[in-house]
Amino acid sequence: MSSDSHVAEHGAEPAFRQHHFINAEQQFDTSKLGMWLFLATEILMFGGLFVGYGLMQSVYPEAWIAGHHHLDRIMGAINTVFLLCSSFTMVMAVHSASTNNKGKTIMNLLLTLGFAGGFLVIKYFEYAHKFHDGLLPGRFFSYHGGGPAEQAMFFGFYFCMTGLHGIHVLIGMILISWITLRTMKGEFSSAYYTPVDLVGLYWHLVDLIWIYLFPLLYLVN
Amino acid sequence: MADTLATPKAHGHVEHHDVDYLHDGSLLSWLTTVDHKKLGVMYLWSVLFMFFLGGVFALLVRLELFAPGKQFMDAETYNKVFTLHGAIMVFLFIIPSIPAALGNFVLPIMLGAKDVAFPRLNLASFWIYVVGALIAVTAMVTGGVDTGWTFYTPYSTTTDGSVALMTFAAFVLGFSSILTGVNFIATVHKLRAPGMGWFRMPLFIWGMYSTAIIQVLATPVLAITLLLLIMERTFGVGVFDPKLGGDPVLFQHFFWFYSHPAVYIMILPGMAIISEVVPTMSQKTFFGYKATAFSSVAIAIVSFVVWGHHMFTSGQSQLAGAIFSFLTFLVGIPSAIKVFNWITTMYKGSISLQAPMLYALMFLILFGIGGLTGLFLGAMSVDIHLHDTYFVVAHFHYVMMGSTAIAFLAGLHYWWPKMFGRMYNESAARVSAVLVFIGFNTTFLPQFLLGSRGMPRRYYNYLPEFQFLHQVSTVGSWILALGFVIMAGYLFASLRKKMDAPANPWHGRSLEWQIPSPPITHNFHEVPVITTEPYDYYRPFEPSVKGHH
Amino acid sequence: MSDHAHAHSSSARIYVVILAALLVLTGVTVGAAYVNFGSSSINLIIAVLIATVKATLVAMFFMHLRHDPPINAIIFVSSLIFLGLFLLFPLIDIGSRDKVVPYGLRVQAQPAAQKKAATPAAAAGGEHGAAPAAAGHAPAH
């Protein structure tokens, strides 16, 4: 079915098909499978941090509660909204790409970039505040407001987890810029928009991780 | 991914259609090739070089242990040398050896595919491996690492040297391994030729598939473990530091969550090769195909829930220890299924004792010893006595070297004619195989005795009563080295000959034996259609590949 | 791809609904954090449950798992199962360490610090500069 529609549009051999695939649908499904496998590795990598965080929380619940009081719930909630909206615009971009709507694709990708940028700006202010108060990981922890000493470990996890997540946001922004450029050049159509779809999947995973980071870091009580 | 390798518009004959892959393109073009066969060959030379390097360090370790006290290096150098031996052999040789070198070459052909699913990722995987190896070498040259390949805290967070750089190298190498795993899973799922159902796949594919599952699911945890270790060293986060309220045992949980499954990343591909060599060289239908196929997947899954047996004496709770000890015995079931099926496959077969089969038989004996001593170590009460002794060293060398590396050699001798189009000298190969077998057992059997008498592993010095067994072991390492020198000799010599290998020297039935040796660039002229079961030696051969003669 | 396209025609509206649901759930989870349900673990469980509902929505609709070949969902779910195993065993270990301290070696801990005594860290906490590994393991042996 899908290969038939491609044949109709592009003649016998669509130019984007690689030689070792029988048809474009096989190539599309394979690319998505590969992306999901990559996402599984991402989940397990972040998962390692979640496991460490959870285990240490079970050992030092007081330190974790004291630590999370230094985090700004409002800023965290705004960032959650930003990422959810960016996920929405991303999926709309994929949708537009799959329906040959180039203008809307570009608009949605730029909106996604905007939300991602907003996320990083807020993150920057949060980090600056922590640096100012000396709420830093491990031996750099110099907060004088008291509380359990293990808060230093809490902030070790805080910076590891949000830092690694932030790097993923940054990588996502680079990828989104790249597919925006390719969309502008007109490289995608309803027959071939795999890169948009794959970057979308990646971006949703970044969102998915934040969905867990937000309650676990900001809302422990 | 889409812009490379775009097919020429017409289905016409491409000019390099009939050229074998070795002569297709300039020497320089190998560096950027996306052909799985060329990448497999490049991986092969890389891992063989690493095997040589790790082997030299092993010989140095054995030489230093020839007598108590200092022979020619001081204790600190000794620590660095055995760490180098372990880290090189594990991360740079064994883990990539079978999947990345032989698997890359054979897996797509066996499936009837023209390439792996993501050829460019495959190329990236190779270069990431090279970069990781270079970082590892840099770490060795600048300061060295004396932690052992396990990087246990708190020693690894306090010792000087290039621990951060070395762990970063392992991180990078892990990435290369993940990319291979992703590629293999996607290839097996999506690129099987028409008619190649899941239960028509050769068992080698099942082994590779199970390995890939572990690579994808376990390796990321290694990445995050090493990241936490680097954080610990730079920021003193304290997760693994008891002074700051952390838990060093937690590091071991993190480390072994990857590294125990990684042990099966090492052994499953070995078993996969034996499952190919045994039916072909016995010319007999595989006994218990499905049980063997599922046992590979079962080993992959069980491997994730047994890691705590490395930690019986580490301060882990006794309840956790008991659970892990119980689960560890489960691994014995699928492993035994495989061994019984290999033996039953050979029963009443017409066995030809050529080099690949010699290595396969060696594997059965050595894996038997390695696997069964593993049960001793998996029993918590016994392990308390044997933990961190030479018994453990002997056990894992029987599994890693005696099983995986020997299976790698079986595969190397089995597919060498296919890869390079040349036969090696069979008599020299047999002599070398016998020397390797004798040398290996002379080296490592005494270590079981040493361990059970209390000789601790990693020690630089030892009591005089251990000297005799240590000397036997060292002499064994020389016999082993002699075997490998002969092997290098006849393999290199074969490359200087003109191409003489027939398409199917062992009378195999899987697809790679139905195309010329060496294969053409795109593997097949036409997509093969599979209509027969694998290993159907009970009936006349019907090739699935058309268009080759 | 024709069936994909068909799915897409009505999907734009579904995406809006999903976004609305996600935003509402975010509000709920923030609100729930201000309510005391009696114990911190209940609050945590509620927060994680809401997060899981949100994650499921994102995976099913935004990531198209609903329409994809099932293998993609299998990969996703199995990565979570293995993550669960990774959490489970160390949790068993850390949770059961104090129950098996041999008689006579139990650390005399203050009642308030009772919980901490379960971990190897507690003993070492007081004595800075002691050999970390040895001190850390003392209560467990």
Side-chain angles (χ1 to χ4, degrees):
Chain A
M1 36 184 190
S2 91
S3 53
D4 295 346
S5 64
H6 295 150
V7 170
E9 287 161 35
H10 291 274
E13 286 289 323
F16 54 81
R17 185 179 68 77
Q18 295 174 264
H19 82 289
H20 58 291
F21 291 110
I22 291 171
N23 58 40
E25 190 186 23
Q26 187 195 25
Q27 178 171 329
F28 179 74
D29 282 349
T30 310
S31 304
K32 284 195 87 155
L33 175 66
M35 193 64 196
W36 273 103
L37 287 166
F38 172 71
L39 296 186
T41 69
E42 289 275 20
I43 289 170
L44 277 149
M45 187 174 75
F46 271 100
L49 285 175
F50 279 104
V51 168
Y53 178 89
L55 289 172
M56 282 301 156
Q57 183 187 25
S58 75
V59 177
Y60 301 113
E62 302 90 9
W64 254 236
I65 289 176
H68 109 278
H69 277 303
H70 299 299
L71 302 181
D72 192 331
R73 276 184 192 174
I74 303 301
M75 284 204 179
I78 294 175
N79 259 350
T80 309
V81 171
F82 273 13
L83 274 194
L84 290 175
C85 289
S86 75
S87 240
F88 170 73
T89 51
M90 189 71 224
V91 80
M92 289 309 288
V94 175
H95 177 68
S96 313
S98 71
T99 48
N100 274 329
N101 196 333
K102 188 175 156 188
K104 270 182 102 173
T105 310
I106 294 171
M107 187 193 78
N108 276 309
L109 287 174
L110 291 177
L111 275 174
T112 313
L113 272 180
F115 282 124
F119 176 90
L120 285 183
V121 168
I122 289 187
K123 204 79 235 161
Y124 168 76
F125 283 117
E126 282 192 78
Y127 273 17
H129 186 70
K130 303 283 171 304
F131 274 71
H132 181 261
D133 287 353
L135 293 163
L136 292 170
R139 69 169 73 100
F140 298 96
F141 188 80
S142 55
Y143 180 66
H144 297 299
E150 286 81 19
Q151 286 181 90
M153 200 195 289
F154 175 84
F155 280 98
F157 276 113
Y158 170 81
F159 278 100
C160 262
M161 293 165 99
T162 56
L164 192 61
H165 180 261
I167 291 172
H168 278 77
V169 172
L170 214 60
I171 295 172
M173 290 176 74
I174 294 170
L175 291 173
I176 293 170
S177 313
W178 171 64
I179 53 168
T180 311
L181 284 179
R182 286 186 67 181
T183 311
M184 285 172 175
K185 284 192 214 155
E187 291 184 23
F188 303 128
S189 66
S190 63
Y192 176 69
Y193 59 98
T194 315
V196 187
D197 207 34
L198 298 188
V199 171
L201 282 177
Y202 172 85
W203 189 253
H204 297 311
L205 186 86
V206 172
D207 183 29
L208 211 68
I209 289 165
W210 184 259
I211 285 177
Y212 280 97
L213 280 180
F214 172 59
L216 288 179
L217 287 174
Y218 290 78
L219 304 178
V220 211
N221 220 335
Chain B
M1 238 156 280
D3 12 59
T4 51
L5 281 179
T7 317
K9 280 276 182 265
H11 254 314
H13 284 268
V14 196
E15 55 186 74
H16 54 245
H17 220 86
D18 285 323
V19 182
D20 74 70
Y21 81 101
L22 287 169
H23 293 95
D24 186 7
S26 66
L27 208 56
L28 210 62
S29 73
W30 280 66
L31 299 181
T32 53
T33 184
V34 290
D35 180 359
H36 70 100
K37 296 182 290 301
K38 287 183 176 179
L39 284 167
V41 169
M42 290 203 289
Y43 256 121
L44 181 66
W45 292 122
S46 314
V47 297
L48 285 176
F49 176 71
M50 289 302 162
F51 184 54
F52 167 75
L53 212 60
V56 169
F57 287 121
L59 288 171
L60 290 177
V61 167
R62 279 314 324 163
L63 205 57
E64 172 59 39
L65 291 171
F66 196 72
K70 181 177 171 177
Q71 306 309 305
F72 61 96
M73 53 174 131
D74 56 27
E76 210 146 305
T77 319
Y78 173 81
N79 284 356
K80 286 177 181 170
V81 169
F82 80 66
T83 302
L84 281 180
H85 164 67
I88 288 178
M89 285 300 198
V90 169
F91 291 114
L92 290 166
F93 169 63
I94 299 188
I95 289 180
S97 64
I98 298 176
L102 300 177
N104 241 334
F105 190 95
V106 180
L107 180 129
I109 305 183
M110 276 187 165
L111 290 172
K114 287 180 180 171
D115 209 322
V116 289
F118 311 113
R120 287 206 298 185
L121 277 192
N122 208 9
L123 175 66
S125 158
F126 174 73
W127 285 111
I128 291 172
Y129 169 81
V130 172
V131 169
L134 287 178
I135 299 175
V137 169
T138 316
M140 294 166 199
V141 176
T142 62
V145 182
D146 57 356
T147 58
W149 76 281
T150 52
F151 308 115
Y152 271 10
T153 54
Y155 188 64
S156 59
T157 51
T158 47
T159 176
D160 298 330
S162 325
V163 174
L165 203 58
M166 192 69 184
T167 48
F168 182 65
F171 178 97
V172 172
L173 290 168
F175 224 93
S176 155
S177 170
I178 287 176
L179 292 183
T180 305
V182 166
N183 234 329
F184 281 5
I185 294 182
T187 309
V188 171
H189 271 279
K190 299 290 181 189
L191 291 187
R192 279 172 285 132
M196 176 74 82
W198 280 87
F199 295 113
R200 280 185 176 168
M201 297 194 307
L203 287 164
F204 180 74
I205 309 279
W206 277 97
M208 283 296 130
Y209 182 75
S210 312
T211 310
I213 292 176
I214 306 179
Q215 283 175 318
V216 167
L217 288 176
T219 318
V221 176
L222 175 74
I224 207 70
T225 309
L226 299 178
L227 188 73
L228 280 172
L229 183 61
I230 293 171
M231 291 291 288
E232 197 83 10
R233 279 179 72 93
T234 28
F235 296 107
V237 175
V239 184
F240 305 133
D241 186 349
K243 261 192 295 181
L244 300 170
D247 182 359
V249 179
L250 191 59
F251 177 83
Q252 301 190 16
H253 277 299
F254 269 66
F255 181 80
W256 288 112
F257 182 82
Y258 161 74
S259 293
H260 190 73
V263 172
Y264 297 91
I265 291 180
M266 303 177 207
I267 190 67
L268 275 170
M271 296 168 157
I273 285 180
I274 302 306
S275 300
E276 282 311 303
V277 173
V278 163
T280 305
M281 304 306 272
S282 311
Q283 291 292 300
K284 195 156 160 280
T285 308
F286 202 94
F287 182 89
Y289 171 90
K290 279 193 183 175
T292 308
F294 285 131
S295 69
S296 291
V297 181
I299 288 177
I301 292 170
V302 175
S303 75
F304 279 91
V305 294
V306 300
W307 78 83
H309 65 221
H310 296 270
M311 302 163 54
F312 286 152
T313 62
S314 70
Q316 169 184 242
S317 86
Q318 289 175 24
L319 175 66
I323 294 172
F324 278 125
S325 182
F326 169 75
L327 291 171
T328 299
F329 289 109
L330 293 182
V331 181
I333 299 171
S335 310
I337 288 176
K338 280 178 184 293
V339 173
F340 294 146
N341 284 348
W342 292 321
I343 293 173
T344 323
T345 301
M346 286 191 288
Y347 178 67
K348 286 191 173 172
S350 66
I351 298 171
S352 72
L353 288 176
Q354 285 161 301
M357 191 60 176
L358 286 181
Y359 281 105
L361 293 174
M362 238 188 261
F363 173 95
L364 288 177
I365 298 168
L366 300 179
F367 178 70
I369 299 175
L372 290 172
T373 51
L375 292 180
F376 302 2
L377 295 170
M380 185 157 55
S381 51
V382 182
D383 183 70
I384 302 290
H385 295 281
L386 295 174
H387 187 80
D388 264 354
T389 67
Y390 265 64
F391 194 90
V392 178
V393 177
H395 156 70
F396 74 70
H397 276 92
Y398 265 87
V399 180
M400 286 182 173
M401 162 106 201
S403 310
T404 307
I406 293 295
F408 170 73
L409 294 178
L412 188 66
H413 286 83
Y414 185 65
W415 284 306
W416 184 270
K418 184 55 63 182
M419 294 178 97
F420 297 104
R422 294 153 171 107
M423 301 302 289
Y424 44 83
N425 184 323
E426 182 63 34
S427 335
R430 287 180 190 181
V431 171
S432 146
V434 170
L435 280 176
V436 166
F437 185 70
I438 295 173
F440 178 83
N441 284 302
T442 318
T443 310
F444 292 105
L445 267 181
Q447 297 191 1
F448 281 124
L449 298 176
L450 280 171
S452 60
R453 291 175 191 182
M455 171 76 207
R457 72 191 276 201
R458 300 202 177 98
Y459 274 32
Y460 172 65
N461 206 345
Y462 54 83
L463 297 171
E465 62 255 40
F466 293 135
Q467 187 174 3
F468 174 70
L469 287 171
H470 269 298
Q471 282 179 342
V472 174
S473 181
T474 303
V475 171
S477 72
W478 298 337
I479 304 175
L480 197 50
L482 179 65
F484 283 122
V485 168
I486 295 176
M487 187 184 303
Y490 67 75
L491 287 182
F492 279 119
S494 81
L495 291 181
R496 296 166 59 97
K497 297 193 298 185
K498 68 173 176 41
M499 296 211 184
D500 61 348
N504 192 359
W506 322 116
H507 309 291
R509 293 270 164 113
S510 44
L511 288 177
E512 81 269 28
W513 303 117
Q514 302 176 27
I515 58 174
S517 306
I520 58 165
T521 301
H522 285 178
N523 299 348
F524 304 99
H525 286 298
E526 292 168 33
V527 179
V529 178
I530 285 79
T531 52
T532 54
E533 304 303 311
Y535 317 111
D536 51 353
Y537 289 103
Y538 56 88
R539 63 175 178 194
F541 186 33
E542 297 165 34
S544 312
V545 177
K546 308 278 182 276
H548 289 291
H549 307 289
Chain C
M1 212 152 290
S2 52
D3 54 343
H4 289 226
H6 185 68
H8 278 192
S9 63
S10 60
S11 53
R13 250 175 300 134
I14 296 179
Y15 296 147
V16 178
V17 174
I18 297 298
L19 176 66
L22 288 170
L23 292 176
V24 169
L25 285 170
T26 306
V28 171
T29 190
V30 173
Y34 288 99
V35 182
N36 188 356
F37 289 100
S39 115
S40 67
S41 48
I42 296 183
N43 272 48
L44 185 69
I45 290 168
I46 289 174
V48 170
L49 278 181
I50 296 175
T52 305
V53 173
K54 288 164 73 179
T56 312
L57 289 178
V58 170
M60 293 277 282
F61 292 91
F62 286 180
M63 300 172 97
H64 303 130
L65 276 186
R66 215 166 45 123
H67 294 298
D68 269 3
I71 180 65
N72 294 354
I74 292 172
I75 292 169
F76 180 58
V77 172
S78 47
S79 75
L80 296 176
I81 291 174
F82 281 93
L83 192 57
L85 291 175
F86 184 25
L87 179 65
L88 177 70
F89 286 98
L91 211 54
I92 293 176
D93 172 25
I94 288 187
S96 61
R97 268 187 219 167
D98 56 337
K99 296 188 183 70
V100 286
V101 175
Y103 178 75
L105 282 177
R106 188 177 292 274
V107 177
Q108 296 301 314
Q110 303 295 321
Q114 198 82 55
K115 178 114 191 169
K116 285 189 186 176
T119 74
E127 33 182 309
H128 273 262
H137 290 170
H141 284 303

